[in-house]
Amino acid sequence: MKKKQIEGYTYVDGGVCAAKGFVANGLNCGINPDKNKNDLGMIYSVTLCDAAAVYTQNKVKGAPVVVTKNNLEKSGAKAQAVIVNSKNANTCNANGIEVAEEVCKLTAAELKIQPEQVIVGSTGVIGQPMSVEPFAAAMADLAAGLSVEGHDAAATAIMTTDTVKKEVAVEFEIDGKTCRLGGMAKGSGMIHPNMATTLNFVTTDVAISGEMLQKALSEIVKVTYNCLSIDGDTSTNDMVSVMANGMAGNDKIVEEGKNYKIVKQALHMVMEYMTMMLAADGEGASKFLECSCDGAPDQETAIIVAKSVIRSPLVKCAMFGEDANCGRILCAIGYAEADVDVSKIELELASENDAITTYKDGFSIDFSEEKAAEILKEKELYIRIHLHQGEASAKAWGCDFTYDYVKINGDYRS
Amino acid sequence: MKKKQIEGYTYVDGGVCAAKGFVANGLNCGINPDKNKNDLGMIYSVTLCDAAAVYTQNKVKGAPVVVTKNNLEKSGAKAQAVIVNSKNANTCNANGIEVAEEVCKLTAAELKIQPEQVIVGSTGVIGQPMSVEPFAAAMADLAAGLSVEGHDAAATAIMTTDTVKKEVAVEFEIDGKTCRLGGMAKGSGMIHPNMATTLNFVTTDVAISGEMLQKALSEIVKVTYNCLSIDGDTSTNDMVSVMANGMAGNDKIVEEGKNYKIVKQALHMVMEYMTMMLAADGEGASKFLECSCDGAPDQETAIIVAKSVIRSPLVKCAMFGEDANCGRILCAIGYAEADVDVSKIELELASENDAITTYKDGFSIDFSEEKAAEILKEKELYIRIHLHQGEASAKAWGCDFTYDYVKINGDYRS
């Protein structure tokens, strides 16, 4: 899974602390009974940030999603800290909103900022009772331990069934000023983002207005996180937030133009790679899957087709079984809710270094089963669809369906 | 899984041969290399039937679906025979239409009827080369062996990953005439019917016009087969056909009214039970799941909500793991594309003999984990949702997600 290389952008370490002025921390506060696992994370900017966020479209929303949305409305899209816990989603609890608001107040008091400048997130089991006590008890320690090295502890604190932490950051220039933008993400199951996604936090030292940040975020979410599907289940707690503290010292970006494009590209790179990391670490995954759809009449069609294939349980099982059962891919294209001329479809199965065409003009063609078997042995598989109906393209990401997905989700609560 | 009991209707044996004048047969013609498995089935009515059918909405359609649709248009909704094979879907083959038309001609020649009076179906692997030869070689034997006992061989011939054959029939009266209506079905994976369904063939001796038959079929498909989801994959070859030969001797039903309602009820009973049989035999299933949605503002909403829950991989895994992780059910209700007031949702987990309420007013409530565990041990589970927003209801059927689903679909072609 290679990071996309683009001239003028360099990948750097540091995750959410890569950009100037951001510190973070994470620890175990007792929500997770396993004391070796962090369950509470904090990100803090030394100055107030412009902020933007997108949220789950699930009608059952986690209390933290509701409270964060309210906060950013109240603060005029300003934020200075993130507080986030794992192991309990604080969703469908009668006192959920109350708890999430109280957590913001505790955070704000400790950091000497306003409660509405706090972005709050939770992930874990839905419908479990939630109390403010573990937050209250840990808040002083959490804040005292904030540091630029703390991105690691924070990224660990949001893991649930994730097997690896997900961080990425890039460095680039705007008008001679060095800028950075980095993020952390969590997510492994219940992933089928719709307009928003799993928990993702992005920080940057670029100076940019909340309005332009929101515009860039909303556009990029559409072609990154929203093109990810692990299991077709859209979580109740999905959220992506971006905080920009302006400490890179560039002239504040307040409209579209060259500089807006530069930062939007950085956001795209970080979010696309985080999406790919989420796909590769899908619950129980043994293979990373990327499905591209080219030659579509418009981007919307390309997205719908690519996502339909990535979502299909039968395609996911075939990839797990290393079976070139491409009829299932055609089947998933056929039931995608898009205007596709099935008589023009071309299909290729590929690994990083090899490819084989299995369908042309909508019909299966003779191909070497031996070569297909070699390709399907690889850990990263690419399903390439060409619709031959236009110029638009899109990609979607996911993983195979394995025994372990069933195992993990058969006993998640316990 | 109890059959619904309704006064005036009695369940009888005989499947598609239960109704007067229908005979059937099945054998192995070599499409399936395992000679012990039937792969070709035939149903024949001694007189010409009024007929109706619904087809898959997948844009990639099996050649037999296209040919059957053309035939019924040409014949003016008349049919006298069904010919159907398993092991090869005859889909995405360059010569698929040609083969399916040739199979109709061979069938018609053998039975001395017209080719457009033949309903042709195929199920199996997509994109495999298909030849007319095995059909040609077996046709004489197949027709010679037609009998009223042949429903069993025919029902066996359409099985793919099915573990049991699916047949059901009912007897009832119209104006003092004894009538029967029975069907056979296949289906185990790639099941998420949309407007149509898996392969299902229904026969009856009721005298009813093709138009009224189509009306009844289209309405009942909506609340039976279309409310079934094994894996969210809508097949390319779905089809339900009904043939009515009129041999019961009732006055022909040509409009809505008392007699139309009687036969529609019979069709509903047969199709609902076939749907439940399909759900219980879902690929790899260890548990049968029924999700009911009551108190919906309209039936459409009830259907969308019930299907969303039945389709959720996370709910299906939780049921497999016997884990009362009801947050996942709320999550699936929340992302259903329906106008639901989540603050009113009530949720019950039930077996045939016991039930436990786990959510009220949209929030999780305290419940006995011990009692929940006892309920979830059962092989047949009932998820009961009450929206408290109106009077409409619907049910959806499915099964749990198991290791075996992944295993079966990891090596289906081989």
Side-chain angles (χ1 to χ4, degrees):
Chain A
M1 214 172 64
K2 285 179 193 152
K3 289 184 180 108
K4 196 195 270 179
Q5 298 299 328
I6 294 178
E7 212 191 311
Y9 295 84
T10 315
Y11 289 92
V12 293
D13 291 335
V16 291
C17 300
K20 277 190 206 80
F22 286 95
V23 286
N25 194 19
L27 49 69
N28 178 283
C29 72
I31 304 174
N32 190 334
D34 181 348
K35 293 289 171 201
N36 294 317
K37 287 191 176 156
N38 288 354
D39 56 18
L40 185 61
M42 183 183 270
I43 307 171
Y44 173 69
S45 166
V46 297
T47 61
L48 190 60
C49 301
D50 290 282
V54 286
Y55 311 94
T56 184
Q57 297 296 301
N58 196 311
K59 280 174 285 291
V60 176
K61 286 185 209 311
V65 169
V66 176
V67 170
T68 296
K69 204 159 180 247
N70 287 347
N71 281 356
L72 291 185
E73 274 167 25
K74 260 195 261 177
S75 71
K78 302 280 182 190
Q80 197 161 352
V82 170
I83 182 90
V84 56
N85 74 279
S86 54
K87 204 69 185 172
N88 186 324
N90 191 16
T91 301
C92 294
N93 292 319
N95 68 340
I97 298 282
E98 203 180 305
V99 169
E101 285 177 344
E102 193 54 39
V103 167
C104 291
K105 277 185 205 159
L106 287 168
T107 307
E110 191 64 41
L111 298 171
K112 300 187 175 52
I113 59 175
Q114 299 305 310
E116 65 268 23
Q117 294 163 354
V118 176
I119 291 168
V120 59
S122 294
T123 178
V125 182
I126 297 169
Q128 296 282 98
M130 181 82 160
S131 134
V132 79
E133 277 155 37
F135 297 89
M139 200 56 80
D141 281 352
L142 189 65
L146 286 166
S147 75
V148 291
E149 290 80 33
H151 61 90
D152 184 83
T156 313
I158 56 175
M159 290 166 68
T160 52
T161 50
D162 303 63
T163 66
V164 294
K165 70 182 166 68
K166 286 117 188 155
E167 296 184 298
V168 62
V170 289
E171 185 176 292
F172 51 100
E173 277 193 9
I174 293 181
D175 293 339
K177 307 283 185 187
T178 299
C179 304
R180 286 180 163 194
L181 184 145
M184 66 180 195
K186 74 80 50 182
S188 197
M190 204 180 273
I191 299 194
H192 184 74
N194 182 16
M195 300 297 202
T197 182
T198 60
L199 286 185
N200 294 266
F201 302 97
V202 176
T203 57
T204 181
D205 45 21
V206 169
I208 179 170
S209 69
E211 195 188 336
M212 296 315 291
L213 208 53
Q214 186 70 49
K215 186 177 162 61
L217 176 61
S218 297
E219 287 177 19
I220 289 167
V221 152
K222 211 180 119 189
V223 293
T224 55
Y225 296 137
N226 283 4
C227 288
L228 169 67
S229 183
I230 302 297
D231 48 19
D233 277 292
T234 304
S235 158
T236 52
N237 286 50
D238 291 347
M239 175 158 64
V240 189
S241 73
V242 189
M243 295 163 72
N245 67 10
M247 290 180 74
N250 62 299
D251 289 344
K252 192 160 187 169
I253 299 166
V254 294
E255 56 182 23
E256 292 190 65
K258 185 172 65 72
N259 291 347
Y260 171 75
K261 276 191 193 143
I262 293 173
V263 65
K264 189 176 162 187
Q265 179 65 266
L267 190 60
H268 193 158
M269 290 169 76
V270 163
M271 287 177 58
E272 181 172 296
Y273 194 69
M274 287 210 288
T275 301
M276 292 165 74
M277 284 194 289
L278 291 169
D281 194 31
E283 276 174 348
S286 77
K287 290 179 193 293
F288 163 80
L289 304 181
E290 179 178 285
C291 177
S292 58
C293 177
D294 293 312
D298 50 66
Q299 195 187 39
E300 192 61 22
T301 300
I303 290 173
I304 291 169
V305 167
K307 282 181 76 170
S308 183
V309 171
I310 277 292
R311 181 179 176 159
S312 159
L314 288 172
V315 171
K316 291 154 75 75
C317 286
M319 295 299 104
F320 169 64
E322 303 182 354
D323 177 14
N325 196 340
C326 294
R328 292 179 176 172
I329 298 171
L330 268 281
C331 177
I333 298 170
Y335 65 68
E337 298 199 352
D339 188 22
V340 169
D341 179 352
V342 296
S343 73
K344 291 181 176 170
I345 298 171
E346 185 177 341
L347 182 64
E348 217 178 74
L349 280 184
S351 61
E352 280 222 324
N353 307 311
D354 211 350
I356 192 167
T357 303
T358 61
Y359 272 71
K360 229 169 179 167
D361 303 323
F363 294 125
S364 72
I365 58 171
D366 257 350
F367 61 87
S368 155
E369 287 280 353
E370 292 68 35
K371 195 170 168 195
E374 254 175 58
I375 288 169
L376 290 171
K377 265 187 211 141
E378 298 294 323
K379 289 283 163 216
E380 301 182 4
L381 298 177
Y382 300 84
I383 298 167
R384 295 186 192 139
I385 298 159
H386 205 300
L387 297 182
H388 294 291
Q389 285 183 262
E391 301 295 323
S393 295
K395 285 179 182 174
W397 297 272
C399 57
D400 57 347
F401 240 147
T402 68
Y403 301 132
D404 282 349
Y405 178 86
V406 178
K407 183 166 174 19
I408 290 165
N409 287 300
D411 54 19
Y412 174 48
R413 280 197 321 169
S414 48
Chain B
M1 214 173 64
K2 284 181 195 152
K3 290 186 179 107
K4 196 194 271 179
Q5 298 299 330
I6 294 179
E7 210 191 314
Y9 294 84
T10 316
Y11 288 92
V12 293
D13 291 334
V16 290
C17 300
K20 276 190 207 79
F22 286 95
V23 286
N25 193 19
L27 49 69
N28 177 284
C29 72
I31 304 173
N32 191 335
D34 181 346
K35 294 288 171 201
N36 295 316
K37 287 192 176 155
N38 288 355
D39 56 18
L40 186 61
M42 183 184 270
I43 308 172
Y44 173 68
S45 165
V46 297
T47 60
L48 190 60
C49 302
D50 290 281
V54 287
Y55 311 94
T56 183
Q57 297 296 300
N58 196 311
K59 280 174 286 290
V60 176
K61 286 186 209 313
V65 169
V66 176
V67 171
T68 297
K69 203 158 181 248
N70 287 347
N71 281 356
L72 291 185
E73 273 166 26
K74 261 195 263 176
S75 70
K78 302 280 183 190
Q80 196 161 351
V82 170
I83 182 89
V84 54
N85 74 279
S86 54
K87 203 70 185 173
N88 186 324
N90 191 17
T91 301
C92 292
N93 292 319
N95 67 340
I97 298 283
E98 203 181 306
V99 168
E101 285 177 344
E102 193 54 40
V103 167
C104 291
K105 278 186 203 157
L106 287 168
T107 307
E110 192 63 42
L111 298 172
K112 301 189 175 49
I113 59 174
Q114 298 305 311
E116 65 267 23
Q117 294 164 352
V118 177
I119 290 168
V120 57
S122 294
T123 178
V125 182
I126 297 169
Q128 297 282 98
M130 181 82 158
S131 135
V132 80
E133 277 154 37
F135 295 89
M139 199 56 79
D141 281 351
L142 189 64
L146 285 167
S147 74
V148 289
E149 290 79 33
H151 62 90
D152 184 83
T156 314
I158 56 175
M159 290 167 66
T160 53
T161 51
D162 303 62
T163 66
V164 293
K165 69 181 166 68
K166 286 115 188 156
E167 295 184 297
V168 63
V170 290
E171 185 177 292
F172 51 99
E173 277 192 10
I174 293 183
D175 292 339
K177 308 283 185 189
T178 300
C179 304
R180 287 179 161 193
L181 185 146
M184 66 180 196
K186 74 80 51 181
S188 196
M190 204 180 273
I191 299 195
H192 184 74
N194 182 16
M195 301 296 201
T197 183
T198 62
L199 288 186
N200 295 265
F201 302 97
V202 177
T203 56
T204 181
D205 44 22
V206 170
I208 178 170
S209 71
E211 197 189 335
M212 296 315 291
L213 207 53
Q214 186 70 49
K215 187 177 163 58
L217 177 61
S218 298
E219 285 175 21
I220 289 168
V221 152
K222 212 181 121 190
V223 293
T224 55
Y225 295 138
N226 283 3
C227 288
L228 168 68
S229 184
I230 301 297
D231 49 19
D233 277 291
T234 304
S235 157
T236 52
N237 287 51
D238 291 347
M239 175 159 66
V240 189
S241 73
V242 189
M243 294 163 74
N245 67 11
M247 290 179 75
N250 63 298
D251 289 342
K252 192 158 186 169
I253 299 166
V254 293
E255 57 183 22
E256 291 190 65
K258 184 173 64 73
N259 291 347
Y260 172 77
K261 275 190 193 143
I262 293 173
V263 65
K264 190 176 162 186
Q265 179 65 267
L267 190 60
H268 194 158
M269 289 169 76
V270 163
M271 287 177 58
E272 182 172 296
Y273 194 69
M274 287 210 289
T275 301
M276 291 165 75
M277 284 195 287
L278 290 168
D281 193 33
E283 277 175 349
S286 78
K287 288 177 194 296
F288 163 81
L289 305 181
E290 178 178 285
C291 177
S292 58
C293 176
D294 293 313
D298 50 67
Q299 195 187 38
E300 193 60 20
T301 300
I303 290 173
I304 291 169
V305 167
K307 281 182 77 169
S308 183
V309 171
I310 276 291
R311 182 180 175 160
S312 160
L314 288 172
V315 171
K316 290 154 75 73
C317 287
M319 295 300 103
F320 168 64
E322 303 181 356
D323 177 13
N325 196 340
C326 294
R328 292 180 177 172
I329 298 171
L330 269 281
C331 178
I333 299 171
Y335 65 67
E337 298 199 353
D339 189 21
V340 169
D341 179 352
V342 296
S343 74
K344 292 181 177 169
I345 297 171
E346 185 177 341
L347 182 64
E348 217 178 75
L349 281 184
S351 61
E352 282 223 324
N353 307 312
D354 211 350
I356 190 166
T357 303
T358 61
Y359 272 71
K360 229 170 179 167
D361 303 322
F363 294 124
S364 71
I365 58 171
D366 258 351
F367 61 87
S368 155
E369 287 279 353
E370 291 69 34
K371 194 170 169 196
E374 254 175 58
I375 288 169
L376 290 171
K377 265 187 213 142
E378 299 293 324
K379 289 285 164 213
E380 300 183 4
L381 299 177
Y382 300 84
I383 298 167
R384 296 187 191 138
I385 298 158
H386 205 300
L387 296 181
H388 293 291
Q389 284 184 261
E391 301 295 323
S393 295
K395 285 179 180 173
W397 297 272
C399 57
D400 56 349
F401 239 146
T402 68
Y403 301 133
D404 282 348
Y405 178 85
V406 177
K407 183 165 174 19
I408 290 166
N409 287 299
D411 55 18
Y412 173 50
R413 278 200 321 168
S414 49

